[in-house]
Amino acid sequence: MNENHPAARPPDTDDGDTGAGRALTVADVLALPVLAAGDPQVVTGVPHLDRPVRWVHITELTDPASFLKGGELVLTTGMPLPEDAADVRRYVDELADVEAAALVIELVRRYHRPPEALVHSCHARGLPLITLAKDVNFLEVTQVVHTLILGNQADAMRRTQRIHEAFTALTLRGAGAEDVVRAASEMSGRTVVLENLAHQALICEPSGSTVEEALTDWERRSRATPPRDHTDVHGAERWLVAPVEYQGERWGRVAMLPARADRPPFGAEHHTVLQRTAMALTVARLIHTTPWERTAHRNALRDLAEQRHHSAKDARARCASLGLPTDDSRFLAVLVDQGCAEMENLLSRELRTAGIPALVGELSPGRLGILLALRTSQPWRPVAERLGRAALDLDPQAVVSVGSEVTDLADTARSFREAARVAEATPPDRPLPPDRSFHELSDIGLHRLLYALREDTRIQEYTERQLGRLIDHDTRHGSDLLTTLRHYLDAAGNKTIAARRCGVSRETVYQRLRTIERLLNRDLESGAQRTELHVALTALDVLRAG
């Protein structure tokens, strides 16, 4: 049962929790030169060397527990220890009951090895028992440790003050929820997650981990950590959680996730950070009226559309934590260009009523983005049609564009790009097919392609190079050769049809076409050259309409 173990310095960490960053522990005290000179050996309680030491107490009494308040490192020469095993058990039980940090016994005067009854009792109660093989000045130990403890307390007060000042500054400048959660993660060195009452993770700021590690299977893990009315560590994963309220009612909670197993546990400063985080979030909720669920959807959609996630696994974990199925689903991007502020609420309700999982949020001013998660057997056209009809009923000027289906969430950026190309190629007054309420890639013909490229100077230069001299001639002479050319090209080179459409004789059309060939230096009998001129005329129409 003897657990003899040389006292050693605790493992170094790099998360800001060492030294003045946390309470002094038993392991820290044993590593001090003043105590290390006594050649300390840990006999029992090795797993409990991370207990904080609140004070040092030197005693030669048979009942020292009556003078303790908990957290004391008890130093004794062993002189007062009772001989009877039952009395030894009582002695240890009393120390354990008041939660003494550890018992240190000097093996110089009365004992040269710790009594078996003492070892058994300390082991049974999980009380660290440390022996000193050499004489140690207990008063010097007390002086050194108390100086460190008082110094740590002063440092802790200063750090707590800085925490309060930082969150006060955030509140005064009207920081949003993202800023508050990010500050909490930076100050604590831990991952911080804000969730609503439906256990959806709306904001995640990872620290020392990835979004995937923090949010994988989030809802199940969150439900395994029941809510509390105050800041506390609980649940199977030992999260530090605090409730977040809005107008007197609980809205959700903020959770600080523990660090790796080799890092120190949560300390008082972590509690302070999380408490101030919850308060700052309540104020942010009052200042910023946009629901946080909407903000979370918007940010997730923008990250997907712009491929700003660190990895595909991070993207899946984040979307899944918002309630979007990411396995065995097909995804479709839908864009709604409109000027109606109620569109987002309307389409969100429409999707909820239809039982279709989706993310809905503003991608840019005037452009609403929707990511649909459809079952593998579910056709997308009826869903897009329902969304389009709802959007047009609210705003007849809305333009609804869809991309193509993708089977992997990581490919949704392509679907968004395609939907954006459709929207860019759709003039505001472009009529829809009679049986459809949305635009898709197959709708993009020559006219709409040129409409999308209308601001490209190469299109403008091409149009002017092909038709500029003909337009100048019409302007100077009051003629209408451009219309004649249009009718001729629309008739696929049939001069008889062109003459009928122009309302002139065939001989007049022949004369005008010869003039056009001379001005443009073109052969209108060439199919390739007629195609080039037709493209230029279509581009001219687009530019003039624009």
Coordinates of all heavy atoms in Angstrom, one line a residue, residues 321-409:
S321 N -24.2 21.4 -35.2 CA -24.5 22.0 -33.9 C -25.6 23.0 -34.0 O -26.2 23.4 -33.0 CB -23.3 22.7 -33.3 OG -22.9 23.8 -34.0
L322 N -25.9 23.5 -35.2 CA -27.0 24.4 -35.5 C -28.3 23.7 -35.9 O -29.3 24.3 -36.2 CB -26.7 25.4 -36.5 CG -25.6 26.5 -36.1 CD1 -25.2 27.3 -37.3 CD2 -26.1 27.4 -35.0
G323 N -28.3 22.4 -35.9 CA -29.4 21.6 -36.2 C -29.6 21.2 -37.7 O -30.6 20.6 -38.1
L324 N -28.5 21.4 -38.5 CA -28.6 21.0 -39.9 C -28.0 19.6 -40.1 O -26.9 19.3 -39.7 CB -27.8 22.0 -40.7 CG -27.9 21.9 -42.2 CD1 -29.3 22.5 -42.7 CD2 -26.8 22.5 -43.0
P325 N -28.8 18.7 -40.6 CA -28.3 17.3 -40.8 C -27.1 17.4 -41.8 O -27.2 17.9 -42.9 CB -29.5 16.5 -41.4 CG -30.7 17.4 -41.1 CD -30.2 18.8 -41.0
T326 N -26.0 16.7 -41.5 CA -24.8 16.8 -42.4 C -24.5 15.4 -42.9 O -23.6 15.3 -43.8 CB -23.6 17.3 -41.6 OG1 -23.4 16.5 -40.4 CG2 -23.9 18.8 -41.2
D327 N -25.2 14.3 -42.5 CA -24.9 13.0 -43.0 C -26.1 12.5 -43.8 O -27.3 12.8 -43.4 CB -24.7 12.0 -41.8 CG -23.4 12.4 -41.1 OD1 -22.4 12.8 -41.7 OD2 -23.4 12.2 -39.8
D328 N -25.9 11.8 -44.9 CA -27.0 11.3 -45.7 C -27.9 12.4 -46.2 O -29.1 12.2 -46.2 CB -27.7 10.2 -44.9 CG -26.9 9.0 -44.5 OD1 -26.0 8.7 -45.3 OD2 -27.0 8.5 -43.4
S329 N -27.4 13.5 -46.5 CA -28.2 14.6 -47.0 C -27.6 15.2 -48.3 O -26.4 15.0 -48.6 CB -28.2 15.8 -46.0 OG -28.9 15.4 -44.8
R330 N -28.5 15.8 -49.1 CA -28.0 16.6 -50.3 C -28.3 18.0 -50.0 O -29.3 18.4 -49.3 CB -28.8 16.1 -51.5 CG -28.4 14.6 -51.9 CD -29.3 14.2 -53.1 NE -30.7 14.1 -52.7 CZ -31.6 14.9 -53.2 NH1 -31.3 15.8 -54.1 NH2 -32.9 14.8 -52.8
F331 N -27.5 18.9 -50.5 CA -27.5 20.3 -50.2 C -27.8 21.1 -51.4 O -27.2 20.8 -52.5 CB -26.2 20.7 -49.5 CG -25.9 19.9 -48.3 CD1 -25.0 18.8 -48.4 CD2 -26.5 20.2 -47.1 CE1 -24.7 18.1 -47.3 CE2 -26.2 19.4 -46.0 CZ -25.3 18.3 -46.1
L332 N -28.5 22.2 -51.3 CA -28.9 23.1 -52.4 C -28.8 24.5 -51.9 O -29.4 24.9 -50.9 CB -30.3 22.8 -52.9 CG -30.7 23.6 -54.1 CD1 -30.0 23.2 -55.4 CD2 -32.2 23.5 -54.3
A333 N -28.1 25.4 -52.6 CA -28.0 26.8 -52.3 C -29.1 27.6 -53.1 O -29.3 27.4 -54.3 CB -26.7 27.3 -52.6
V334 N -29.8 28.4 -52.3 CA -30.8 29.3 -52.9 C -30.5 30.7 -52.5 O -30.2 31.0 -51.4 CB -32.2 28.9 -52.4 CG1 -33.3 29.8 -53.0 CG2 -32.5 27.5 -52.7
L335 N -30.6 31.6 -53.5 CA -30.4 33.1 -53.2 C -31.7 33.8 -53.5 O -32.3 33.5 -54.5 CB -29.2 33.6 -54.1 CG -27.8 33.0 -53.8 CD1 -26.8 33.7 -54.8 CD2 -27.4 33.2 -52.4
V336 N -32.0 34.8 -52.7 CA -33.2 35.6 -52.9 C -32.7 37.1 -52.9 O -32.2 37.6 -51.8 CB -34.2 35.4 -51.8 CG1 -35.5 36.3 -52.1 CG2 -34.6 33.9 -51.8
D337 N -32.7 37.7 -54.0 CA -32.4 39.2 -54.1 C -33.7 39.9 -54.0 O -34.6 39.8 -54.8 CB -31.7 39.5 -55.4 CG -30.3 38.9 -55.5 OD1 -29.7 38.6 -54.4 OD2 -29.8 38.6 -56.6
Q338 N -33.8 40.7 -52.9 CA -35.0 41.5 -52.7 C -34.7 42.6 -51.7 O -33.6 42.8 -51.2 CB -36.0 40.5 -52.0 CG -35.5 39.6 -51.0 CD -35.2 40.3 -49.7 OE1 -35.9 41.2 -49.3 NE2 -34.2 39.8 -49.0
G339 N -35.7 43.5 -51.6 CA -35.6 44.7 -50.7 C -36.5 44.6 -49.5 O -36.7 45.6 -48.9
C340 N -37.1 43.4 -49.2 CA -38.1 43.4 -48.2 C -37.4 42.8 -46.9 O -36.9 41.7 -46.9 CB -39.2 42.5 -48.6 SG -40.5 42.3 -47.4
A341 N -37.6 43.5 -45.8 CA -37.0 43.1 -44.5 C -37.6 41.9 -43.9 O -37.0 41.2 -43.1 CB -37.0 44.3 -43.5
E342 N -38.9 41.6 -44.3 CA -39.6 40.5 -43.7 C -39.3 39.2 -44.4 O -39.8 38.1 -44.0 CB -41.1 40.8 -43.8 CG -41.6 41.9 -43.0 CD -41.3 41.8 -41.5 OE1 -41.4 40.6 -41.0 OE2 -40.8 42.7 -40.9
M343 N -38.5 39.2 -45.5 CA -38.3 38.0 -46.3 C -37.6 36.9 -45.5 O -38.0 35.7 -45.6 CB -37.5 38.3 -47.6 CG -37.4 37.2 -48.5 SD -38.9 36.8 -49.4 CE -39.1 38.3 -50.5
E344 N -36.6 37.2 -44.7 CA -35.9 36.2 -44.0 C -36.8 35.5 -43.0 O -36.8 34.2 -42.9 CB -34.8 36.9 -43.2 CG -33.8 35.8 -42.5 CD -32.6 36.5 -42.0 OE1 -32.3 37.7 -42.3 OE2 -31.9 35.9 -41.2
N345 N -37.7 36.2 -42.3 CA -38.6 35.6 -41.3 C -39.6 34.7 -42.1 O -39.9 33.6 -41.6 CB -39.3 36.7 -40.5 CG -38.4 37.4 -39.5 OD1 -37.5 36.8 -39.0 ND2 -38.7 38.6 -39.2
L346 N -40.1 35.3 -43.2 CA -41.1 34.5 -43.9 C -40.6 33.2 -44.4 O -41.2 32.1 -44.2 CB -41.6 35.4 -45.1 CG -42.5 34.6 -46.1 CD1 -43.9 34.4 -45.5 CD2 -42.6 35.4 -47.4
L347 N -39.4 33.2 -45.0 CA -38.9 31.9 -45.6 C -38.5 31.0 -44.5 O -38.6 29.8 -44.7 CB -37.8 32.3 -46.6 CG -38.2 33.1 -47.8 CD1 -37.0 33.3 -48.7 CD2 -39.4 32.5 -48.5
S348 N -38.0 31.5 -43.4 CA -37.6 30.6 -42.3 C -38.9 29.9 -41.8 O -38.9 28.7 -41.5 CB -37.0 31.4 -41.1 OG -35.8 32.0 -41.5
R349 N -40.0 30.6 -41.6 CA -41.2 30.0 -41.2 C -41.7 29.0 -42.2 O -42.2 27.9 -41.9 CB -42.3 31.1 -40.9 CG -42.1 31.9 -39.7 CD -43.3 32.7 -39.3 NE -43.8 33.5 -40.4 CZ -43.4 34.8 -40.5 NH1 -42.6 35.4 -39.7 NH2 -43.9 35.5 -41.5
E350 N -41.6 29.3 -43.5 CA -42.1 28.4 -44.5 C -41.3 27.1 -44.5 O -41.9 26.0 -44.6 CB -41.8 29.1 -45.9 CG -42.5 28.4 -47.1 CD -44.0 28.6 -47.1 OE1 -44.5 29.6 -46.4 OE2 -44.7 27.8 -47.7
L351 N -40.0 27.2 -44.3 CA -39.2 26.0 -44.2 C -39.5 25.2 -42.9 O -39.6 23.9 -43.0 CB -37.7 26.3 -44.2 CG -37.2 26.8 -45.6 CD1 -35.9 27.5 -45.5 CD2 -37.2 25.7 -46.6
R352 N -39.7 25.8 -41.8 CA -40.1 25.1 -40.6 C -41.4 24.4 -40.7 O -41.6 23.3 -40.3 CB -40.1 26.1 -39.4 CG -38.7 26.5 -38.9 CD -38.9 27.1 -37.5 NE -39.7 28.3 -37.5 CZ -39.2 29.5 -37.7 NH1 -37.9 29.7 -37.9 NH2 -40.0 30.6 -37.7
T353 N -42.4 25.1 -41.4 CA -43.7 24.5 -41.6 C -43.6 23.3 -42.5 O -44.3 22.3 -42.2 CB -44.6 25.5 -42.2 OG1 -44.8 26.7 -41.4 CG2 -46.0 24.9 -42.5
A354 N -42.7 23.3 -43.5 CA -42.6 22.2 -44.4 C -41.7 21.1 -43.8 O -41.5 20.0 -44.3 CB -42.0 22.7 -45.7
G355 N -41.1 21.4 -42.6 CA -40.2 20.4 -42.0 C -38.9 20.2 -42.7 O -38.4 19.1 -42.7
I356 N -38.4 21.2 -43.3 CA -37.2 21.1 -44.1 C -36.0 21.8 -43.4 O -36.0 23.0 -43.2 CB -37.3 21.7 -45.5 CG1 -38.5 21.0 -46.3 CG2 -36.1 21.6 -46.3 CD1 -38.9 21.7 -47.5
P357 N -35.0 21.0 -43.0 CA -33.9 21.7 -42.3 C -33.1 22.6 -43.2 O -32.9 22.3 -44.4 CB -33.0 20.5 -41.9 CG -33.8 19.3 -42.0 CD -34.8 19.6 -43.1
A358 N -32.8 23.8 -42.7 CA -32.1 24.8 -43.6 C -31.4 25.8 -42.7 O -31.7 26.0 -41.5 CB -33.1 25.4 -44.5
L359 N -30.4 26.4 -43.3 CA -29.8 27.6 -42.7 C -30.3 28.8 -43.5 O -30.2 28.8 -44.8 CB -28.3 27.6 -42.7 CG -27.6 26.4 -41.9 CD1 -26.1 26.5 -42.0 CD2 -28.0 26.5 -40.4
V360 N -30.8 29.9 -42.9 CA -31.3 31.0 -43.6 C -30.6 32.3 -43.0 O -30.6 32.5 -41.8 CB -32.8 31.2 -43.4 CG1 -33.3 32.3 -44.2 CG2 -33.5 29.9 -43.9
G361 N -30.0 33.1 -43.8 CA -29.4 34.3 -43.3 C -28.9 35.2 -44.4 O -28.9 34.9 -45.6
E362 N -28.7 36.5 -44.1 CA -28.3 37.5 -45.0 C -26.8 37.3 -45.4 O -26.0 37.3 -44.5 CB -28.5 38.9 -44.5 CG -28.3 40.0 -45.5 CD -28.4 41.4 -44.8 OE1 -27.7 41.7 -43.9 OE2 -29.3 42.2 -45.3
L363 N -26.5 37.1 -46.7 CA -25.2 37.0 -47.1 C -24.5 38.3 -47.4 O -23.3 38.5 -47.2 CB -25.1 36.1 -48.4 CG -25.4 34.6 -48.2 CD1 -25.4 33.9 -49.6 CD2 -24.4 34.0 -47.2
S364 N -25.3 39.3 -47.9 CA -24.9 40.6 -48.2 C -26.1 41.5 -48.2 O -27.2 41.0 -48.3 CB -24.1 40.7 -49.5 OG -24.9 40.3 -50.6
P365 N -25.9 42.8 -48.1 CA -27.1 43.7 -48.1 C -28.0 43.4 -49.3 O -27.6 43.5 -50.5 CB -26.5 45.1 -48.2 CG -25.2 45.0 -47.5 CD -24.7 43.6 -47.9
G366 N -29.3 43.1 -49.1 CA -30.2 42.8 -50.1 C -30.2 41.4 -50.7 O -30.9 41.1 -51.6
R367 N -29.3 40.6 -50.2 CA -29.2 39.2 -50.7 C -29.3 38.2 -49.6 O -28.5 38.2 -48.6 CB -27.9 39.0 -51.5 CG -27.7 37.5 -51.8 CD -26.6 37.3 -52.9 NE -27.1 37.8 -54.2 CZ -26.3 37.7 -55.3 NH1 -25.1 37.2 -55.2 NH2 -26.8 38.1 -56.5
L368 N -30.4 37.4 -49.7 CA -30.6 36.4 -48.6 C -30.1 35.0 -49.1 O -30.3 34.7 -50.3 CB -32.1 36.3 -48.4 CG -32.6 35.5 -47.2 CD1 -32.1 36.1 -45.9 CD2 -34.1 35.4 -47.2
G369 N -29.4 34.3 -48.3 CA -28.9 33.0 -48.6 C -29.6 31.9 -47.9 O -30.0 32.1 -46.7
I370 N -29.9 30.8 -48.5 CA -30.6 29.7 -47.9 C -29.8 28.4 -48.3 O -29.5 28.2 -49.5 CB -32.0 29.5 -48.4 CG1 -32.8 30.8 -48.1 CG2 -32.7 28.3 -47.7 CD1 -34.2 30.9 -48.8
L371 N -29.5 27.6 -47.3 CA -28.9 26.3 -47.6 C -29.9 25.2 -47.2 O -30.1 25.1 -46.0 CB -27.5 26.1 -46.9 CG -26.8 24.8 -47.1 CD1 -26.5 24.6 -48.6 CD2 -25.6 24.6 -46.2
L372 N -30.4 24.5 -48.1 CA -31.3 23.4 -47.8 C -30.6 22.1 -47.6 O -29.6 21.8 -48.4 CB -32.3 23.2 -49.0 CG -33.1 24.5 -49.4 CD1 -33.9 24.2 -50.7 CD2 -34.1 24.9 -48.3
A373 N -31.0 21.3 -46.6 CA -30.5 20.0 -46.4 C -31.6 19.0 -46.7 O -32.6 18.9 -45.9 CB -30.0 19.8 -45.0
L374 N -31.6 18.3 -47.8 CA -32.6 17.5 -48.3 C -32.3 16.0 -48.1 O -31.1 15.6 -48.2 CB -32.9 17.7 -49.7 CG -33.2 19.2 -50.1 CD1 -33.3 19.4 -51.6 CD2 -34.6 19.6 -49.4
R375 N -33.3 15.2 -47.8 CA -33.1 13.7 -47.8 C -32.7 13.2 -49.2 O -33.0 13.8 -50.2 CB -34.4 13.0 -47.3 CG -34.8 13.4 -45.9 CD -36.0 12.6 -45.5 NE -37.1 12.7 -46.4 CZ -38.1 13.7 -46.4 NH1 -38.0 14.6 -45.4 NH2 -39.0 13.7 -47.3
T376 N -32.0 12.1 -49.2 CA -31.5 11.6 -50.5 C -32.6 11.3 -51.5 O -32.4 11.4 -52.7 CB -30.6 10.3 -50.2 OG1 -31.4 9.4 -49.5 CG2 -29.4 10.6 -49.4
S377 N -33.8 11.0 -51.0 CA -34.9 10.6 -51.9 C -35.8 11.8 -52.1 O -36.8 11.7 -52.8 CB -35.7 9.5 -51.3 OG -36.2 9.8 -50.0
Q378 N -35.5 13.0 -51.6 CA -36.4 14.1 -51.7 C -36.0 15.0 -52.9 O -34.9 15.6 -52.9 CB -36.3 15.0 -50.4 CG -37.3 16.1 -50.3 CD -37.2 16.8 -48.9 OE1 -36.2 16.6 -48.2 NE2 -38.2 17.6 -48.6
P379 N -36.9 15.2 -53.8 CA -36.6 16.1 -55.0 C -36.5 17.6 -54.5 O -37.3 18.0 -53.7 CB -37.8 15.9 -55.9 CG -38.9 15.4 -55.0 CD -38.2 14.6 -53.9
W380 N -35.6 18.3 -55.1 CA -35.4 19.7 -54.7 C -36.3 20.7 -55.4 O -36.6 21.7 -54.8 CB -33.9 20.1 -54.9 CG -33.5 20.1 -56.4 CD1 -32.9 19.2 -57.1 CD2 -33.6 21.3 -57.3 NE1 -32.6 19.6 -58.4 CE2 -33.1 20.9 -58.5 CE3 -34.2 22.5 -57.2 CZ2 -33.0 21.7 -59.6 CZ3 -34.1 23.4 -58.3 CH2 -33.6 23.0 -59.5
R381 N -36.8 20.4 -56.6 CA -37.6 21.4 -57.3 C -38.9 21.8 -56.6 O -39.2 23.0 -56.5 CB -38.0 20.8 -58.7 CG -36.8 20.9 -59.6 CD -37.1 20.5 -61.1 NE -36.0 20.6 -61.9 CZ -35.7 21.8 -62.5 NH1 -36.4 22.9 -62.3 NH2 -34.6 21.9 -63.3
P382 N -39.7 20.9 -56.0 CA -40.8 21.3 -55.2 C -40.5 22.3 -54.1 O -41.2 23.2 -53.8 CB -41.5 20.0 -54.7 CG -41.0 19.0 -55.7 CD -39.6 19.4 -56.1
V383 N -39.4 22.0 -53.4 CA -38.9 22.9 -52.3 C -38.6 24.2 -52.8 O -39.0 25.3 -52.3 CB -37.8 22.2 -51.5 CG1 -37.4 23.1 -50.4 CG2 -38.1 20.9 -51.0
A384 N -37.8 24.3 -53.9 CA -37.4 25.6 -54.5 C -38.6 26.3 -55.0 O -38.7 27.6 -54.9 CB -36.4 25.4 -55.6
E385 N -39.6 25.6 -55.6 CA -40.8 26.2 -56.1 C -41.6 26.8 -54.9 O -42.1 28.0 -55.0 CB -41.6 25.2 -56.8 CG -42.9 25.7 -57.4 CD -42.7 26.7 -58.5 OE1 -41.6 26.6 -59.2 OE2 -43.5 27.6 -58.8
R386 N -41.7 26.1 -53.8 CA -42.4 26.6 -52.6 C -41.7 27.9 -52.1 O -42.4 28.9 -51.8 CB -42.5 25.6 -51.5 CG -43.2 26.0 -50.3 CD -43.5 24.8 -49.4 NE -44.3 25.2 -48.2 CZ -44.8 24.3 -47.4 NH1 -44.7 23.0 -47.6 NH2 -45.5 24.7 -46.4
L387 N -40.4 27.9 -52.0 CA -39.7 29.1 -51.5 C -39.9 30.2 -52.5 O -40.2 31.4 -52.1 CB -38.2 28.8 -51.4 CG -37.8 28.0 -50.2 CD1 -36.3 27.7 -50.3 CD2 -38.1 28.7 -48.9
G388 N -39.8 30.0 -53.8 CA -40.0 31.0 -54.8 C -41.4 31.6 -54.8 O -41.5 32.9 -54.8
R389 N -42.4 30.8 -54.6 CA -43.7 31.3 -54.6 C -43.9 32.2 -53.3 O -44.6 33.3 -53.4 CB -44.8 30.2 -54.6 CG -44.8 29.4 -55.9 CD -45.3 30.2 -57.0 NE -45.2 29.5 -58.3 CZ -45.3 30.0 -59.5 NH1 -45.4 31.4 -59.5 NH2 -45.2 29.3 -60.6
A390 N -43.4 31.7 -52.2 CA -43.6 32.5 -51.0 C -42.8 33.9 -51.1 O -43.4 34.9 -50.7 CB -43.0 31.7 -49.8
A391 N -41.6 33.8 -51.7 CA -40.9 35.1 -51.9 C -41.6 36.1 -52.8 O -41.7 37.3 -52.5 CB -39.5 34.8 -52.4
L392 N -42.1 35.6 -53.9 CA -42.8 36.4 -54.9 C -44.1 36.9 -54.3 O -44.6 38.0 -54.7 CB -43.0 35.7 -56.2 CG -41.7 35.4 -57.0 CD1 -42.0 34.5 -58.2 CD2 -41.1 36.7 -57.4
D393 N -44.8 36.1 -53.5 CA -46.1 36.6 -52.9 C -45.8 37.8 -52.0 O -46.6 38.7 -51.9 CB -46.7 35.5 -52.1 CG -47.4 34.4 -53.0 OD1 -47.5 34.7 -54.2 OD2 -47.6 33.3 -52.5
L394 N -44.7 37.8 -51.3 CA -44.3 38.9 -50.4 C -43.8 40.1 -51.2 O -44.1 41.2 -50.9 CB -43.3 38.4 -49.4 CG -42.9 39.5 -48.3 CD1 -44.1 39.9 -47.5 CD2 -41.8 38.9 -47.4
D395 N -42.9 39.8 -52.2 CA -42.3 40.9 -53.0 C -42.2 40.4 -54.4 O -41.3 39.6 -54.8 CB -40.9 41.2 -52.4 CG -40.2 42.3 -53.1 OD1 -40.8 42.8 -54.1 OD2 -39.1 42.7 -52.7
P396 N -43.1 40.9 -55.3 CA -43.1 40.5 -56.7 C -41.8 40.8 -57.4 O -41.5 40.3 -58.5 CB -44.3 41.3 -57.3 CG -45.2 41.6 -56.1 CD -44.2 41.8 -55.0
Q397 N -41.0 41.7 -56.9 CA -39.7 42.1 -57.5 C -38.6 41.2 -57.1 O -37.5 41.3 -57.6 CB -39.4 43.5 -57.1 CG -40.4 44.6 -57.5 CD -40.6 44.5 -59.0 OE1 -39.7 44.5 -59.8 NE2 -41.9 44.6 -59.4
A398 N -38.8 40.2 -56.2 CA -37.8 39.3 -55.7 C -37.3 38.5 -56.9 O -38.1 38.1 -57.7 CB -38.3 38.5 -54.6
V399 N -36.0 38.2 -56.8 CA -35.4 37.3 -57.8 C -34.8 36.1 -57.1 O -33.9 36.2 -56.2 CB -34.3 38.0 -58.6 CG1 -33.6 37.0 -59.5 CG2 -34.8 39.1 -59.4
V400 N -35.4 34.9 -57.3 CA -34.9 33.7 -56.6 C -34.1 32.9 -57.6 O -34.5 32.5 -58.7 CB -36.2 32.9 -56.2 CG1 -35.7 31.6 -55.4 CG2 -37.1 33.7 -55.3
S401 N -32.8 32.5 -57.1 CA -31.9 31.8 -58.0 C -31.4 30.6 -57.2 O -31.2 30.6 -56.0 CB -30.7 32.7 -58.3 OG -31.1 33.9 -58.8
V402 N -31.2 29.5 -57.9 CA -30.7 28.3 -57.3 C -29.5 27.8 -58.0 O -29.3 28.0 -59.2 CB -31.8 27.1 -57.3 CG1 -33.1 27.6 -56.6 CG2 -32.1 26.7 -58.7
G403 N -28.6 27.1 -57.2 CA -27.4 26.4 -57.8 C -27.8 25.0 -58.1 O -28.9 24.6 -58.2
S404 N -26.8 24.2 -58.1 CA -27.0 22.7 -58.3 C -26.8 22.0 -57.0 O -26.2 22.5 -56.1 CB -26.0 22.2 -59.4 OG -24.7 22.4 -59.0
E405 N -27.4 20.8 -57.0 CA -27.3 20.0 -55.8 C -25.9 19.5 -55.6 O -25.2 19.2 -56.6 CB -28.2 18.8 -55.9 CG -29.7 19.0 -55.5 CD -30.4 17.7 -55.5 OE1 -30.4 17.0 -56.5 OE2 -31.1 17.4 -54.5
V406 N -25.5 19.4 -54.3 CA -24.2 18.7 -54.0 C -24.4 17.7 -52.9 O -25.4 17.9 -52.1 CB -23.1 19.8 -53.5 CG1 -22.8 20.7 -54.7 CG2 -23.6 20.6 -52.3
T407 N -23.6 16.7 -52.8 CA -23.8 15.7 -51.8 C -22.9 15.8 -50.6 O -23.0 15.1 -49.6 CB -23.5 14.3 -52.4 OG1 -22.2 14.3 -53.0 CG2 -24.5 14.0 -53.5
D408 N -21.9 16.8 -50.7 CA -21.0 17.0 -49.6 C -21.1 18.4 -49.1 O -21.1 19.3 -50.0 CB -19.5 16.7 -50.0 CG -18.6 16.6 -48.9 OD1 -18.8 17.3 -47.9 OD2 -17.6 15.8 -48.9
L409 N -21.2 18.6 -47.8 CA -21.3 20.0 -47.3 C -20.1 20.9 -47.7 O -20.3 22.1 -47.9 CB -21.4 19.9 -45.8 CG -21.7 21.3 -45.1 CD1 -23.2 21.7 -45.4 CD2 -21.6 21.1 -43.6

